[in-house]
Amino acid sequence: MVKGFDVVKNPQDVSFYAGLLLSSYAICQAITIMYWGPLSDRIGRRPTLLMGLTGDLATFVLFGLSKSYKWAIITRSLNGLFAGNSAVVKSVVAEISDDSNRPRMMALLPLMWNIGAVAGSAIGGLLADPVSQYPSIFGRCELFRTFPYLLPCLVGSLTTTFGLVVGLFKLKETLVIEPAVPDVVIQETDIATETTHLVSTAPQQHGEPLPAQSMLSLLTPTSKFVMATNVLMCLAIAMGDQIYPIFAASAPADGGLGFSTRDIGISLSVSSVAVLYLQLVAYPKLAHKYGALTCCQMGLKIMTPFFFAMPFLSLLSSSIENMIAGKTFMRLPMPTDWMSFVGFEYCMLWILLIGLLLVRITGNVLAFTSLNLLVSNIAPSKAMLGTMNSMQQLGTTGMWIAGPLISGTLWSWSIKHSLPFPFNSHLVWMVEGFDIVKNPEDVPFYAGLLLTSYSLCQAIPSMYWGVLSDRIGRRPALLIGLAGDLATFVLFGLSKSFTWAIVTRSLNGVFAGNSAVVKSVVAEISDDSNRPRMTALLPLMWNIGVVAGSAVGGLLADPANQYPSIFGRCEIFRTFPYLLPCLVGSLTTAMGLFVGLFKLKETLVIPPVAAVPEAQENGAATESTPLVVQQSPEQQQSMLALLTPTCRRVLTINVLMCLAISMYYHIYSMFAASPPRDGGLGFNTQGIGISLAISGLVVIYLQLVAYPKLVQKYGTLRCCQIGLLGMVPVFFAIPFLSLLSARVEQFVANRVPVDLLVSQSWMSPAGLEYGMLWILLLALLLARMVGDILAFTSINLIVSNITPTKTTLGAMNGMQQFSSTCTRIIGPMLSGTLWGWSIKHKMVYPFNSHLVWVLCGVLIAVSWKMAMALPSSVNVFASGHLPRSRQ
């Protein structure tokens, strides 16, 4: 249609003008949505719907008469203005239903929308330009030759006409205002009788505006949460729906699936078949059994892994493309041998894709339909139901406008810049820009020195930060650390030499040493009912910060070169290419500092110490003399006095465990990348990334859901013991996978297993052993992740539990933080040295390539043995009690 207008001079501009035509409808619909709802609250639902249907019918037919782009965009915009009353339908459905059938009736709305979208596309495709498509039928019809897009508009408007006729003769007004009992008006006196109403309920005539709340008063905290949830969900769904065809059609090299249009259509059709069953059968039963809120939560929860997992299918598509020697995947014919690697992976790709799409459509139906119900439920009165639904519809329509723009822009940008997951780190580039680097081979050394300086300077003052917080309070200690971190991080962004960079990075580490104070605050503001869950949030927030920090660094480093159109003329970012990511990253610190200044209260509350009777000063005891004298804050225990046998054992367990985990994190990538002859797996970077990504997906569930339940059932100490014990066999078993990788390598003539296996069948020895290698590796990595979370989070809890008083909680957490930070310095150095030595000398077991893994296993085993000797009293939070005697 757009191509036929004179406005298009270049074929490449068609998509722009077509998008503008589509957007005009959505924008005009969004503008009027907020007016249709309040209008229906004032004049009634029936006249509002009839006005909208009449205007929609007229403007849709006028749109079919378009012969110029200007006429098309005007009539399409007018059509959007009248379509803004779609929110009124939700109000009608809510008013004609009750609790027994409302979920089923609400489920019909998105179903009808989906049917209309499919039928409308079919009518437009089949009947557009009928003279050219069906010359034998319409060839002599001058009307359709002059207006080639009139016929589909006339046919499509039949449904609108039908709705208008039904509305005129069958639809009754659903906004019924119950007549109120008249007040007993006492004109002459102020005397109230028994029949006088305490609140005036004067009768309301239909059509008059109710003395209802203003639109602003409708935004209660609950309605704000519901509307925000609706906006965020609709934005995600709009982005997903827009980007899926692009993702599916893009080449695997660009992170797509390489599908043809036929494949994209099949994938969408198969997943959409489930919509009818979900809307009409499954959802009403689920809503009746669990309620709308629980269904909404379930829908949002199951959609989350879909969005994270979908892009990883590109790796499988890329693997298939590599097997067919130069052909692109969209040209790949149906596999003839389904037992070959190509056939198996092709089948697996489709199974996973359809499974994920079904998960998304299920979550979409549950969440979206439930939100429609919740919006109707929270409306304070029927007279405000139209306004509430209009507010929701406005947010939904706005996101359908913004979603495609955001997703398309981000997809194009990510393809252009080709950043690895999650984002590029520019630390190496930063070091390369300093004059100190004379040889490219020295870059890793200086980059490592820059990283180590931070950890080293963080470790040194961590104990002192804890003690300082015990003396002056948690709040001032945190504020001092945040202020220093903010200043030094910005100074780090101003680095133009390696000396400046390492000095500012070291100072940044000094102020970051107060992270242990956060553990003390969490322990003090929580109780036994929620302490495990709150403690589990700390490592989760750290992981989120790592990903977000990498994102900011990769996206914003050297903006003058990355985004010359935006920052090309900005001299400050050309002079200091790493200032922008530091400024943006410091916004979180600034926000924390602001919240700390105005919202954070002091959590270290020391109860007042009773005055010592005068007789006690003379040594004479009276009946009122306390048997035990409580220490004042100034009489705190020394650091040495805190090191009871139990405390020393707990800190030793923490050191050994953190050292083993630190060694593992450093050595795994080298182990996976090394060839099997050197005791590795021979993986490429893709294989390493997949293994880490799959095992890392369980972290959020384990931290937020599984761990708190396990602690509540078994206790902190038991969870720590289980976690340590579970990691022991993992470290001993992982290096033996190299033997399996070596066997696979022999089958494929000394070529690495992930790059070959083109013509091999999955039922061949190579295929079976290759599959078994991945199954065993992922099982071991998942077991290690579970053990890590159980043990590490439990140790954090135990350290807080064994602290004798609140005034020493900071010191205890400081000691733990100091030991943990030291292991992050020692671990990489020790594991790298031992790995290189073991590969070079090729000695017998356990001094061969297994040496690092055996050492990690021994460290964890010793930790477990020591944990088994801990008393059960470590399960109890003792801070705030009187100082205990040394055990």
Side-chain angles (χ1 to χ4, degrees):
M1 183 180 190
V2 173
K3 284 181 178 179
F5 294 141
D6 296 336
V7 72
V8 179
K9 306 300 182 182
N10 189 335
Q12 296 178 348
D13 296 333
V14 170
S15 59
F16 168 75
Y17 287 104
L20 188 60
L21 191 59
L22 291 172
S23 299
S24 65
Y25 176 88
I27 292 172
C28 290
Q29 183 186 24
I31 292 172
T32 58
I33 280 174
M34 286 304 301
Y35 298 99
W36 284 107
L39 181 65
S40 73
D41 290 337
R42 292 178 177 272
I43 68 173
R45 316 299 185 207
R46 183 176 180 271
T48 306
L49 283 176
L50 294 179
M51 287 170 56
L53 287 170
T54 304
D56 182 83
L57 175 63
T59 54
F60 196 46
V61 173
L62 289 174
F63 178 70
L65 297 174
S66 300
K67 294 189 68 178
S68 68
Y69 185 78
K70 185 181 295 185
W71 178 274
I73 204 166
I74 291 174
T75 53
R76 189 62 174 160
S77 299
L78 290 173
N79 192 238
L81 293 177
F82 287 101
N85 78 339
S86 56
V88 181
V89 180
K90 298 180 184 178
S91 303
V92 173
V93 170
E95 288 166 345
I96 65 175
S97 60
D98 54 33
D99 293 338
S100 64
N101 60 5
R102 186 169 290 117
R104 185 181 299 276
M105 295 187 69
M106 278 292 183
L108 289 173
L109 295 179
L111 178 63
M112 294 301 102
W113 188 89
N114 288 325
I115 292 174
V118 174
S121 300
I123 291 172
L126 291 172
L127 301 183
D129 195 9
V131 174
S132 299
Q133 287 203 75
Y134 313 104
S136 61
I137 303 175
F138 300 100
R140 297 181 179 181
C141 186
E142 194 61 33
L143 178 65
F144 294 137
R145 187 183 300 278
T146 306
F147 304 106
Y149 299 98
L150 177 60
L151 181 59
C153 291
L154 291 175
V155 174
S157 65
L158 292 178
T159 57
T160 309
T161 304
F162 179 76
L164 184 60
V165 172
V166 171
L168 283 170
F169 297 103
K170 294 293 184 179
L171 181 64
K172 297 179 180 180
E173 180 56 57
T174 61
L175 179 60
V176 179
I177 309 297
E178 298 294 337
V181 179
D183 289 341
V184 177
V185 181
I186 303 173
Q187 299 178 353
E188 302 294 335
T189 67
D190 293 330
I191 302 173
T193 68
E194 292 182 359
T195 60
T196 304
H197 291 285
L198 297 178
V199 181
S200 175
T201 56
Q204 180 69 36
Q205 297 298 323
H206 180 70
E208 295 181 8
L210 289 172
Q213 299 111 310
S214 66
M215 199 170 297
L216 187 62
S217 65
L218 288 177
L219 294 176
T220 63
T222 300
S223 65
K224 288 179 182 177
F225 273 113
V226 172
M227 295 300 176
T229 303
N230 178 73
V231 165
L232 295 176
M233 182 196 71
C234 289
L235 178 60
I237 293 174
M239 292 173 66
D241 288 347
Q242 161 72 13
I243 209 64
Y244 173 73
I246 302 174
F247 161 74
S250 298
D254 291 332
L257 300 179
F259 276 11
S260 63
T261 54
R262 180 182 64 88
D263 295 329
I264 297 172
I266 292 173
S267 66
L268 290 173
S269 300
V270 172
S271 61
S272 298
V273 169
V275 172
L276 190 64
Y277 171 78
L278 290 169
Q279 293 282 14
L280 293 182
V281 181
Y283 179 78
K285 293 181 179 179
L286 290 172
H288 180 72
K289 184 175 182 180
Y290 299 107
L293 178 59
T294 302
C295 286
C296 179
Q297 295 168 340
M298 289 168 54
L300 294 172
K301 186 179 294 185
I302 65 176
M303 276 196 291
T304 302
F306 160 80
F307 288 111
F308 284 100
M310 180 63 79
F312 285 102
L313 293 182
S314 176
L315 301 175
L316 192 56
S317 184
S318 178
S319 176
I320 299 173
E321 187 182 51
N322 291 334
M323 292 180 184
I324 55 178
K327 295 181 181 179
T328 60
F329 180 67
M330 65 179 64
R331 306 295 182 187
L332 181 67
M334 188 71 68
T336 55
D337 183 7
W338 288 98
M339 297 307 295
S340 67
F341 274 96
V342 173
F344 184 86
E345 293 198 3
Y346 182 84
C347 183
M348 184 60 65
L349 172 64
W350 272 95
I351 291 173
L352 292 174
L353 176 63
I354 297 300
L356 287 172
L357 291 175
L358 288 174
V359 166
R360 193 206 71 84
I361 204 71
T362 303
N364 189 1
V365 169
L366 289 175
F368 191 77
T369 312
S370 297
L371 274 172
N372 288 340
L373 268 173
L374 292 177
V375 170
S376 297
N377 290 345
I378 64 175
S381 66
K382 285 186 176 181
M384 301 302 294
L385 189 57
T387 304
M388 287 291 292
N389 283 316
S390 292
M391 293 168 64
Q392 183 206 16
Q393 190 68 29
L394 175 64
T396 302
T397 306
M399 294 307 100
W400 282 105
I401 298 171
L405 295 173
I406 295 173
S407 59
T409 303
L410 290 178
W411 176 266
S412 300
W413 183 92
S414 62
I415 297 301
K416 180 180 178 181
H417 288 79
S418 302
L419 299 175
F421 179 83
F423 291 97
N424 249 333
S425 173
H426 288 255
L427 183 61
V428 173
W429 294 358
M430 185 180 189
V431 172
E432 286 179 344
F434 295 141
D435 295 335
I436 196 172
V437 178
K438 307 300 182 184
N439 191 334
E441 296 178 352
D442 295 333
V443 171
F445 168 76
Y446 287 105
L449 190 60
L450 194 58
L451 289 172
T452 304
S453 66
Y454 176 87
S455 299
L456 185 62
C457 291
Q458 183 187 20
I460 294 172
S462 57
M463 292 178 62
Y464 299 100
W465 279 110
V467 176
L468 180 66
S469 73
D470 290 336
R471 294 184 176 274
I472 68 173
R474 315 296 184 211
R475 184 176 180 272
L478 283 175
L479 294 179
I480 294 171
L482 286 170
D485 181 83
L486 177 62
T488 54
F489 195 47
V490 173
L491 290 174
F492 178 68
L494 298 174
S495 300
K496 295 190 68 177
S497 67
F498 185 77
T499 303
W500 179 276
I502 203 166
V503 169
T504 53
R505 190 63 175 157
S506 299
L507 289 174
N508 192 239
V510 169
F511 287 101
N514 77 338
S515 56
V517 181
V518 179
K519 298 179 183 178
S520 304
V521 173
V522 169
E524 289 167 343
I525 64 175
S526 59
D527 53 33
D528 293 337
S529 65
N530 60 5
R531 186 169 292 112
R533 186 180 298 275
M534 293 186 69
T535 304
L537 287 174
L538 296 178
L540 179 62
M541 293 301 103
W542 186 87
N543 289 325
I544 292 174
V546 168
V547 175
S550 301
V552 172
L555 289 171
L556 302 181
D558 197 8
N561 290 324
Q562 284 206 77
Y563 314 104
S565 61
I566 302 174
F567 299 102
R569 298 182 181 180
C570 189
E571 194 61 33
I572 186 172
F573 294 135
R574 191 176 297 279
T575 306
F576 305 106
Y578 301 97
L579 176 60
L580 183 58
C582 292
L583 289 175
V584 174
S586 63
L587 291 178
T588 57
T589 309
M591 184 182 299
L593 185 60
F594 179 82
V595 172
L597 282 170
F598 297 102
K599 294 293 183 180
L600 180 64
K601 298 180 180 180
E602 180 56 59
T603 61
L604 179 59
V605 180
I606 303 169
V609 182
V612 180
E614 184 178 351
Q616 187 176 335
E617 296 180 1
N618 301 325
T622 66
E623 292 183 357
S624 62
T625 304
L627 296 177
V628 179
V629 180
Q630 184 177 349
Q631 291 180 318
S632 66
E634 291 76 13
Q635 295 172 315
Q636 298 173 10
Q637 294 170 287
S638 66
M639 192 83 69
L640 186 62
L642 292 176
L643 295 175
T644 63
T646 299
C647 177
R648 289 198 295 267
R649 192 175 294 120
V650 169
L651 291 178
T652 303
I653 293 170
N654 179 74
V655 168
L656 297 178
M657 179 190 71
C658 289
L659 180 60
I661 294 174
S662 177
M663 293 171 65
Y664 159 80
Y665 279 131
H666 183 71
I667 207 63
Y668 174 75
S669 297
M670 290 192 289
F671 161 74
S674 299
R677 63 178 179 274
D678 290 333
L681 298 179
F683 280 7
N684 56 15
T685 54
Q686 184 186 76
I688 298 172
I690 292 174
S691 65
L692 292 174
I694 293 176
S695 61
L697 288 176
V698 300
V699 172
I700 295 178
Y701 172 78
L702 291 171
Q703 290 281 16
L704 295 184
V705 181
Y707 180 78
K709 293 181 179 179
L710 290 173
V711 169
Q712 187 177 10
K713 185 174 183 179
Y714 298 107
T716 305
L717 177 59
R718 187 62 178 159
C719 285
C720 180
Q721 294 167 345
I722 293 173
L724 291 170
L725 182 61
M727 282 193 288
V728 173
V730 171
F731 288 119
F732 282 99
I734 280 183
F736 284 101
L737 295 180
S738 177
L739 302 177
L740 193 56
S741 184
R743 286 177 56 85
V744 177
E745 189 181 50
Q746 291 175 1
F747 281 116
V748 292
N750 296 323
R751 296 174 67 180
V752 293
V754 291
D755 291 337
L756 241 189
L757 303 176
V758 176
S759 59
Q760 302 293 327
S761 169
W762 282 96
M763 300 306 297
S764 68
L768 290 174
E769 295 197 13
Y770 181 71
M772 184 60 64
L773 171 65
W774 271 97
I775 293 173
L776 292 175
L777 176 62
L778 292 178
L780 290 172
L781 292 178
L782 288 174
R784 193 214 65 80
M785 182 66 72
V786 173
D788 187 344
I789 289 174
L790 288 176
F792 189 76
T793 312
S794 297
I795 280 291
N796 287 339
L797 270 172
I798 290 174
V799 169
S800 297
N801 288 347
I802 63 175
T803 306
T805 64
K806 287 186 177 181
T807 57
T808 55
L809 190 57
M812 284 292 291
N813 283 315
M815 286 193 288
Q816 183 206 16
Q817 187 68 31
F818 172 74
S819 59
S820 300
T821 306
C822 287
T823 59
R824 289 202 295 268
I825 300 171
I826 299 171
M829 297 171 59
L830 181 61
S831 59
T833 303
L834 292 178
W835 176 261
W837 182 88
S838 62
I839 291 178
K840 181 179 179 180
H841 292 82
K842 298 187 181 298
M843 301 179 71
V844 297
Y845 181 87
F847 300 103
N848 55 358
S849 58
H850 292 234
L851 180 59
V852 177
W853 299 104
V854 170
L855 179 57
C856 291
V858 170
L859 291 173
I860 295 295
V862 174
S863 301
W864 170 77
K865 186 68 176 178
M866 295 181 69
M868 294 300 294
L870 290 175
S872 59
S873 59
V874 300
N875 287 315
V876 181
F877 184 65
S879 290
H881 296 184
L882 294 178
R884 298 175 294 185
S885 59
R886 291 170 66 87
Q887 299 182 13

